[in-house]
Amino acid sequence: MRRSIAALAGLALAVPVLTSTGTATAVPAATTCYVQSGGLTAGNDTVDRYVNATSPITVKPVEVMAKNPFGGRAISLSTSWTWDDDFGDETSLDGHVVSGDVLYRSHQWVKKGTGGQVVSSDLTRVGSGWSAFRTLTQSWSLQTPGWRMYALRSDGSLYRWNLSPQNGTVVWHAAGSYPGFSSVKAVALLSRTSTYDTLLATTRGGALYTILIPLTSPMKPVVKPLRTKTWGSFERLLTARCGNYGTLLLAIDKDLGAGYLYAVGHANGTATVINSLGKVPATFNDQIDFSWGSVVDAPLFGE
């Protein structure tokens, strides 16, 4: 079962994880810290690879999650995806994608042990106008109520929607927007709590920022720099929880097809400890990059 694979993905780990006071502690060797990196290949398959924070960094071989799940449809944006293998001989895969000008909620049933054979694939249309957006980030967890979506429009405005199930469908409610993010290149979720979400972002000028967004209305993000230079080459950020307060960050330079792994302490502005774990021994040349997560994963808590 894939859940068992996940539990074994990062054995012999000793990554520094920081408490909220900034004191470094070592994760016990049996603790698993990894990023389940996903991608849409040139052949239109979705894949995953476990990037383990071992020393040196190790990477499990690429595994096909779903063979041609979108029927050859061109995909320009994707959220993170969740998988659930508690369905007999099938695995459930869920995420959101943009194709052309339209956003879809996507779901597939995949037969286990077949290299990604898709039993069924559904694309549920959400709405049009999405070619104007260049990032798509969702905040969701089985353990905490509520579902939010964030999208950065080409003019630098960050939008938020609240999603709620009603009569068997998911209804989207506009929940505010805020301008001023035109320099942002890459966005990933860093924290999800009952009162706020935090996004992690790189800028064209090389900065690394947190964008804390209270769930109150009107939408008023609080932006703090973690670093002011050297991060401008990264077009993709993938995050995974590591310990109680830490985050494992995979930063991808698409121009070079290279990924770099970082252990990030609980965010505290420029005092945040960020430890470089090195270059990942893998090539990141997929059309789209995103993160995978199990439905039972604990929510991110990086700030």
Side-chain angles (χ1 to χ4, degrees), residues 57-76:
I57 298 167
T58 56
V59 182
K60 281 186 83 273
V62 173
E63 182 178 358
V64 175
M65 296 287 280
K67 293 286 291 182
N68 194 21
F70 309 115
R73 185 189 300 264
I75 304 298
S76 58

Side-chain angles (χ1 to χ4, degrees), residues 65-151:
M65 296 287 280
K67 293 286 291 182
N68 194 21
F70 309 115
R73 185 189 300 264
I75 304 298
S76 58
L77 289 176
S78 175
T79 61
S80 57
W81 279 67
T82 55
W83 55 265
D84 190 344
D85 65 358
D86 281 344
F87 296 96
D89 63 353
E90 294 181 359
T91 298
S92 172
L93 311 177
D94 286 280
H96 286 80
V97 295
V98 173
S99 179
D101 196 46
V102 179
L103 174 69
Y104 298 91
R105 183 176 182 183
S106 181
H107 176 260
Q108 293 110 41
W109 291 103
V110 177
K111 191 171 182 62
K112 296 176 184 176
T114 62
Q117 177 186 331
V118 176
V119 177
S120 66
S121 180
D122 296 320
L123 283 173
T124 302
R125 180 188 174 100
V126 174
S128 59
W130 288 86
S131 59
F133 291 89
R134 50 192 177 88
T135 70
L136 190 61
T137 310
Q138 67 182 4
S139 173
W140 178 89
S141 173
L142 187 66
Q143 287 106 328
T144 57
W147 192 357
R148 278 91 60 185
M149 191 74 71
Y150 298 89

Side-chain angles (χ1 to χ4, degrees), residues 40-66:
L40 177 65
T41 70
N44 295 314
D45 302 330
T46 55
V47 298
D48 79 338
R49 58 173 67 82
Y50 285 92
V51 179
N52 304 310
T54 49
S55 182
I57 298 167
T58 56
V59 182
K60 281 186 83 273
V62 173
E63 182 178 358
V64 175
M65 296 287 280

Side-chain angles (χ1 to χ4, degrees), residues 245-284:
Y245 303 103
T247 302
L248 201 59
L249 169 63
L250 174 60
I252 300 174
D253 182 332
K254 294 299 289 184
D255 293 333
L256 301 178
Y260 298 84
L261 199 60
Y262 299 87
V264 182
H266 204 65
N268 183 26
T270 55
T272 304
V273 177
I274 303 176
N275 293 323
S276 174
L277 304 181
K279 184 178 180 181
V280 177
T283 301
F284 296 87

Side-chain angles (χ1 to χ4, degrees), residues 1-13 29-34 36 50 52 60 83 85 294 296-297:
M1 293 176 66
R2 182 167 292 273
R3 188 163 298 151
S4 298
I5 293 173
L8 296 172
L11 296 179
L13 172 68
T31 300
T32 304
C33 282
Y34 56 86
Q36 190 180 354
Y50 285 92
N52 304 310
K60 281 186 83 273
W83 55 265
D85 65 358
S294 164
V296 299
D297 287 348

Side-chain angles (χ1 to χ4, degrees), residues 134 152 155-156 180-186 202-207 209:
R134 50 192 177 88
L152 179 63
D155 65 0
F181 297 99
S182 58
S183 66
V184 168
K185 289 183 68 174
T202 59
T203 70
R204 294 185 181 90
Y209 283 90

